Structure formats: structure tokens, C-alpha cells
Amino acid sequence: ALRSSLGLAHLRRGTEDDRKTHALTHFEAGLQAAPDDVRLLTLHGETLLRAGRYKDSVAPLARAIELAPDLEQTRGLYARALRYTLQYDAAAEQMMFLLKKSPDNLLWQRSAIGALSQAGRKDEAEALFEQYVAKRGARLPETFPEALARMEEQLDTAPIPQARLDWAWSMRGDTSIDRATWERRARWGHMIDHLLFDWLECREERVEEAMAMLGELDTGERFFAPLLAAGRGVVVATAHVGPMYAGLMALELVGIPSRWLASAPSIARSSYAEALISTADQTEAQVAKACMRAINSGFVLCLAIDGAANPAAPRTTFEGQDVTYSGFAAHLAHRMGVPSVFYAPRWENGQVAYTLEMLPAANPGEEADAYAQRWQKAYFERLREHLAGPPENLRLSGGIWRHVTAADPSADSSA
């Protein structure tokens, strides 16, 4: 128990050394004394997985579910370890086991679809996807206005961790707003984005009802036209903020050729499916190649660079929190010599609008790493400006929000 506690303390502190070295040392020492401690086995396996030591993570997680087969989260971690050691069939079997045990768990459903697809079991994946969409669709009201009204009645139920609200509140630009009003608007922004996603995926025949929320689209068209005129693509960097899912609808409506990196499985049959580059059922190398093909084909390539399917995704510090950050977009823009853009969807008078700003171009002869650092600084400056804005534009889930922890009261000198 002591070793578990010490290891968890390092994980909570969250520096790279804490996560990749110190916590593991305690879990390993604990397992020497108690090799069949399921909690220690799970913690050890998960920490190895998140440290990118995929092969090493398999054995402790396998042993944990052998000892405690009903532990769903542990089995989910084991499935991820199998996936990242390229054991796709075995990963799919573990996900199907979970789904059989908890058929209504939407996370397991979506993960199982990706696992089946990656294992080459496309027919099963498609059948499961249709069930998944039907189940979610059955929960939606008949019309989008009805869905919106129901959502607004349920704002207090938005499952947003308090630490995320506190962190976002600390970054607000309008210090005159009262917390209750601010929080209600933040909850609205969180829930509307998820509703838009459900509507887009489950109500394809009535998607135009949601499209009524899209604002004036000519701005985006005018912005991208000269950038695409050269026949090469554009790297568009965004984050998990604002009405993320509205971007797909907007670019499709305007007819801008686009590809979006997304965790949705590639077998999705919706109208936007061909615009997706899926991270759910492809390796990182396959995803990178697909991105380069998109740029060479003259597409706008959209990447939420604060999100990653990989459990060992790199992180950086932003506004006092550990956030996932991928340097892939910056390096891609440098390598391929194409322009890059910061993009953030936001609400303006009840309709979706967009912030579009150029990110730095590489200087002649500039080294990739130097450019990537300059680019990262500019990206986070623009993201910080966005987060200081109206609370409905926060989103508060995924990406930068995923690893937010409560502020350490001991760090406050006034405490």
C-alpha cells in the first residue's frame, strides 16, 4: 500500500521523471514484495504504457486481468497495450469481451469498432458501428431544436471535472463576470459541441437542422483561397476548444477540400467519413503518410495538436498544466514548405464563427527544431487568447483539458 501511495504521488505531481522513472521504481519495488497485488500490477502496467514501454506493459496487465477478470478499466488498458504491440486480433478480442460485459458503454463500443477495423474485421466493425449510431440516435429527440431545448434543461448535468472549470476560470479575460453565469455558459459550450457531434453522426438525414447554427462561411473561403492557389495544401492547427465538430460541416458546405485527423474509426459511413484520417485503426506511420498525401494533393489538413490517441503522447507545460502537444504539424509544415494556420471555432451571437490566423513561416535555412519551437510559441499564444474569451468557447473536454489537475494549495503563498 505504501509503494502504491508513493507511486501515485509521483504520478499526481506529473513531471516526466515522475511519470517515467520515479513512479515505476515504487511500483516495481511493491511488486517484488507482493507480485500478485492486482492494484500494483495495474498501476505498473498503465504507467509503463503511458511511458511508451508498450511491450513491457503487456505482462503486468495480462496478469492483473488473469487475477481479476472483472476489472474493466484494467482490461481496457490491456487492450491498448496489445494494440501498441501490434497484436490487433488479440486487442479486438479484449474489446469485444468488454463490450459483451457492458454493452451500453459507449467508450467500449467506439474502441471496439476501431479495434475490429484495425484487425481487418471490417464487416464486424461496420455492423457494430451501425448499432452504435442507432443506440445514440435513439436517445436524441426528433428535431434539432428539440434536442437543443432538452440540452439547455440539463446543463447542470454536464460531466466537467471541477479542476478544468477552475483552470479555465483562472484564464478568463473578463474579470467582471460572476462565476455562476460564466460556468453556465461554459457548460453550454461543452454540451452543444457533443450534441453537434451526435447529430452529425446519428441524424445524417436531418443534419441541415444543425447547419442552421453555422454563421457566415465566406470568411473561411476567402482566407483559404489564396493559400490553396499554389496547388499545395495547408496545415491547419486547432485544439479541443469551441464547437469543434462544426468545422467539418462548414468546410464541407463551402467545398474547401479538407482532411481531418480524428479518432473516429475510418469505417464510419457518414457523409464526412471520407474527409477523415483515422487514428483509431491506423498506425502512426500510416497516419503520417496519409497526412503527407493530403498536403501533396492540395487539401487543407486539420489537426487538433493537443490530442493524441497514443497513451505515451508527449506533453508540454501550458499555463501551469501538463498538456498533450504534438510537434507533428510544425514539422510537417517545415518539411513540406507549406503555410500553416491557427484555427479555433467559436460562438458569436448564437452562431459558429472562426478565428483564422497565420502561424509563422519557416525562414530560409531555418532548422526544423528551431522553427518548431517558434511555431509552438505562436500556437500557444493564440490558444491562450482564445481561452481568455467567452466561456462557451472553451469546450472543456479532450485535448488540453485531459490532464488538468487541481491547483496545489501549498503552491499558493497566500494560503
Side-chain angles (χ1 to χ4, degrees):
L2 175 61
R3 289 295 187 176
S4 293
S5 300
L6 290 169
L8 283 167
H10 282 291
L11 291 181
R12 275 193 293 272
R13 194 162 64 180
T15 69
E16 191 162 353
D17 279 346
D18 281 315
R19 289 184 284 114
K20 294 186 176 180
T21 305
H22 302 316
L24 285 170
T25 300
H26 287 296
F27 297 146
E28 285 160 7
L31 285 168
Q32 284 182 346
D36 285 342
D37 184 310
V38 172
R39 178 170 163 75
L40 273 171
L41 284 164
T42 300
L43 286 168
H44 188 219
E46 180 177 7
T47 306
L48 287 166
L49 184 65
R50 297 193 186 285
R53 293 171 58 183
Y54 306 128
K55 287 182 180 176
D56 293 337
S57 73
V58 172
L61 292 169
R63 181 61 178 154
I65 61 165
E66 183 185 340
L67 293 165
D70 290 335
L71 287 180
E72 292 193 15
Q73 294 299 328
T74 302
R75 192 176 292 274
L77 291 167
Y78 179 49
R80 292 183 84 183
L82 292 170
R83 177 192 173 187
Y84 282 98
T85 50
L86 313 185
Q87 299 178 68
Y88 300 131
D89 266 321
E93 286 305 316
Q94 293 301 322
M95 289 314 308
M96 292 308 290
F97 183 96
L98 280 171
L99 196 55
K100 192 173 181 181
K101 191 166 180 289
S102 300
D104 294 326
N105 185 311
L106 293 177
L107 174 61
W108 296 154
Q109 287 176 34
R110 199 168 189 87
S111 299
I113 293 162
L116 287 168
S117 181
Q118 194 158 32
R121 295 159 64 175
K122 300 290 185 185
D123 290 346
E124 290 173 81
E126 289 194 7
L128 187 55
F129 180 76
E130 286 181 5
Q131 290 175 32
Y132 170 67
V133 167
K135 279 183 182 176
R136 284 162 56 220
R139 300 177 188 179
L140 291 170
E142 191 63 24
T143 69
F144 190 75
E146 287 177 90
L148 200 55
R150 183 202 283 180
M151 182 205 86
E152 291 184 343
E153 290 170 3
Q154 298 174 340
L155 292 183
D156 290 341
T157 67
I160 304 169
Q162 189 61 42
R164 295 180 188 178
L165 289 164
D166 291 344
W167 185 50
W169 172 253
S170 75
M171 292 187 281
R172 73 195 185 285
D174 178 5
T175 54
S176 66
I177 191 170
D178 72 274
R179 177 74 183 246
T181 302
W182 177 91
E183 203 162 294
R184 185 169 178 80
R185 287 168 59 187
R187 289 176 183 278
W188 185 91
H190 170 89
M191 292 185 80
I192 187 68
D193 189 52
H194 290 82
L195 173 58
L196 283 169
F197 175 61
D198 284 342
W199 203 263
L200 187 62
E201 202 163 69
C202 306
R203 280 281 192 276
E204 197 177 343
E205 75 286 357
R206 304 190 72 144
V207 76
E208 71 284 349
E209 294 177 18
M211 284 182 172
M213 299 195 90
L214 296 178
E216 182 266 316
L217 300 172
D218 292 348
T219 308
E221 196 172 9
R222 285 195 303 271
F223 184 91
F224 283 112
L227 298 178
L228 293 169
R232 303 288 303 285
V234 178
V235 172
V236 174
T238 186
H240 286 69
V241 294
M244 265 185 86
Y245 295 117
L248 270 173
M249 294 192 287
L251 288 179
E252 188 178 328
L253 270 182
V254 175
I256 293 171
S258 61
R259 290 289 182 267
W260 291 73
L261 206 65
S263 59
S266 55
I267 51 86
R269 290 180 177 175
S270 60
S271 60
Y272 64 83
E274 66 176 30
L276 297 183
I277 296 173
S278 175
T279 60
D281 50 16
Q282 297 187 93
T283 65
E284 289 182 1
Q286 288 171 325
V287 168
K289 285 178 184 174
C291 288
M292 286 188 272
R293 279 197 302 272
I295 291 293
N296 278 328
S297 300
F299 287 98
V300 168
L301 175 67
C302 302
L303 308 100
I305 60 174
D306 63 334
N310 188 327
R315 300 184 197 177
T316 191
T317 301
F318 170 63
E319 295 296 318
Q321 293 284 350
D322 242 14
V323 298
T324 304
Y325 172 80
S326 168
F328 176 68
H331 283 278
L332 186 65
H334 181 275
R335 177 177 174 178
M336 304 197 76
V338 293
S340 56
V341 172
F342 174 82
Y343 158 77
R346 55 188 166 79
W347 292 100
E348 198 172 87
N349 301 320
Q351 290 197 306
V352 178
Y354 306 93
T355 296
L356 290 162
E357 293 181 33
M358 295 303 299
L359 286 165
N363 295 320
E366 187 174 14
E367 292 287 333
D369 286 347
Y371 170 68
Q373 283 188 343
R374 197 161 58 84
W375 191 98
Q376 178 179 336
K377 182 173 182 290
Y379 169 83
F380 277 118
E381 283 170 357
R382 285 158 179 77
L383 180 58
R384 180 65 181 83
E385 286 174 17
H386 177 89
L387 295 173
E392 54 269 30
N393 297 331
L394 293 167
R395 192 173 189 268
L396 295 164
S397 67
I400 54 163
W401 309 102
R402 192 177 303 281
H403 302 296
V404 171
T405 55
D408 181 359
S410 66
D412 184 356
S413 58
S414 64

